[in-house]
Amino acid sequence: FNSLNHDMTLTEFKFIWYMEYSHRMWGRVVGLAYILPAAYFWHRGWLSRPLKGCVLALCGLVCFQGLLGWYMVKSGLEEKPDSYDIPRVSQYRLAAHLGSALVLYSASLWTGLSLLLPRHKLPETHQLLRLRQFAHGTTALIFLTALSGAFVAGLDAGLVYNSFPKMGERWIPDDLLAFSPVLRNIFENPTTVQFDHRILGIASVTAVTALYLFSRKIPLPRRTRMAVTSLLAVACVQ
């Protein structure tokens, strides 16, 4: 308010306050929805030894996610005497918060599906091994693309160029490597951050499409085919 939003009304402030408050309360509800049943199942002796380790790891991730969220928000409230820019949270902490959320969500989903669905016993052919490696690589690429999106959000990099596929009138913008040292551009130059996110997004869609086409050449169970097809559909929608 002191540095930028002098004309903000109480009603406008309440809107952003309730957005933040709702997010925090929702996060706490998620934590309780996980920890309370897990403690009950543990007490009743319904968890196997390997599953206990998994439950403890997920519980740690839930707590870590909340702590990281507080650490991220804190960066947006710190005084920056050398900066007259719009107050914003650290893009590094935002990416860490999003990344840990994706890991927590994926691990929870993987654990739940492993308990609900029996694992397919498939012959370890060379093609199946390649498909599995390709799927893991695609997963890593999608994860990296999502993290790059956090840097776009943290720097408001989406506001720099609004045209696609070119950025302005050029394929490669002039200020792509404006910062020194060069490595700093990847994380702090809004133009480079948006450029990287575009490239990673296109690469992710390409990888998912290639994964789908490759999977069509291999005899796979119906459930696996549905998963690969759904992945392609979601990638196109995204």
Side-chain angles (χ1 to χ4, degrees), residues 126-201:
H126 178 67
Q127 279 189 317
L128 188 63
L129 181 63
R130 284 185 60 196
L131 179 67
R132 188 179 290 121
Q133 292 173 340
F134 198 175
H136 289 163
T138 303
T139 301
L141 182 59
I142 293 170
F143 182 75
L144 186 62
T145 304
L147 287 190
S148 74
F151 280 90
V152 172
L155 291 170
D156 282 337
L159 304 177
V160 182
Y161 291 98
N162 300 127
S163 56
F164 186 85
K166 290 185 177 181
M167 298 177 73
E169 298 298 320
R170 303 177 65 88
W171 289 102
I172 300 177
D174 295 329
D175 53 341
L176 190 67
L177 300 175
F179 290 15
S180 182
V182 175
L183 188 62
R184 191 174 151 221
N185 288 279
I186 298 175
F187 306 105
E188 298 181 15
N189 184 340
T191 297
T192 312
V193 166
Q194 190 192 127
F195 180 81
D196 290 344
H197 188 59
R198 289 176 179 224
I199 298 300
L200 286 168

Side-chain angles (χ1 to χ4, degrees), residues 37-221:
Y40 177 74
F41 296 155
W42 190 300
H43 177 71
R44 297 286 292 181
W46 295 348
L47 304 179
S48 64
R49 187 167 182 175
L51 195 55
K52 284 182 178 179
C54 187
V55 164
L56 286 176
L58 288 173
C59 183
L61 271 174
V62 168
C63 297
F64 177 71
Q65 175 67 8
L67 181 65
L68 202 53
W70 165 80
Y71 184 61
M72 178 196 71
V73 172
K74 183 174 179 289
S75 68
L77 303 175
E78 293 170 348
E79 293 287 344
K80 302 178 179 69
D82 58 336
S83 174
Y84 300 95
D85 199 1
I86 298 172
R88 56 165 62 94
V89 299
S90 164
Q91 68 271 28
Y92 297 100
R93 300 184 192 184
L94 177 60
H97 189 50
L98 175 64
S100 65
L102 289 173
V103 170
L104 174 60
Y105 178 78
S106 300
S108 300
L109 187 64
W110 183 275
T111 304
L113 290 177
S114 298
L115 294 170
L116 291 171
L117 301 174
R119 185 169 185 147
H120 287 301
K121 300 292 184 181
L122 299 175
E124 291 291 328
T125 63
H126 178 67
Q127 279 189 317
L128 188 63
L129 181 63
R130 284 185 60 196
L131 179 67
R132 188 179 290 121
Q133 292 173 340
F134 198 175
H136 289 163
T138 303
T139 301
L141 182 59
I142 293 170
F143 182 75
L144 186 62
T145 304
L147 287 190
S148 74
F151 280 90
V152 172
L155 291 170
D156 282 337
L159 304 177
V160 182
Y161 291 98
N162 300 127
S163 56
F164 186 85
K166 290 185 177 181
M167 298 177 73
E169 298 298 320
R170 303 177 65 88
W171 289 102
I172 300 177
D174 295 329
D175 53 341
L176 190 67
L177 300 175
F179 290 15
S180 182
V182 175
L183 188 62
R184 191 174 151 221
N185 288 279
I186 298 175
F187 306 105
E188 298 181 15
N189 184 340
T191 297
T192 312
V193 166
Q194 190 192 127
F195 180 81
D196 290 344
H197 188 59
R198 289 176 179 224
I199 298 300
L200 286 168
I202 294 169
S204 292
V205 174
T206 304
V208 169
T209 305
L211 178 68
Y212 171 79
L213 294 175
F214 182 60
S215 72
R216 301 292 294 176
K217 301 177 181 178
I218 307 172
L220 295 171

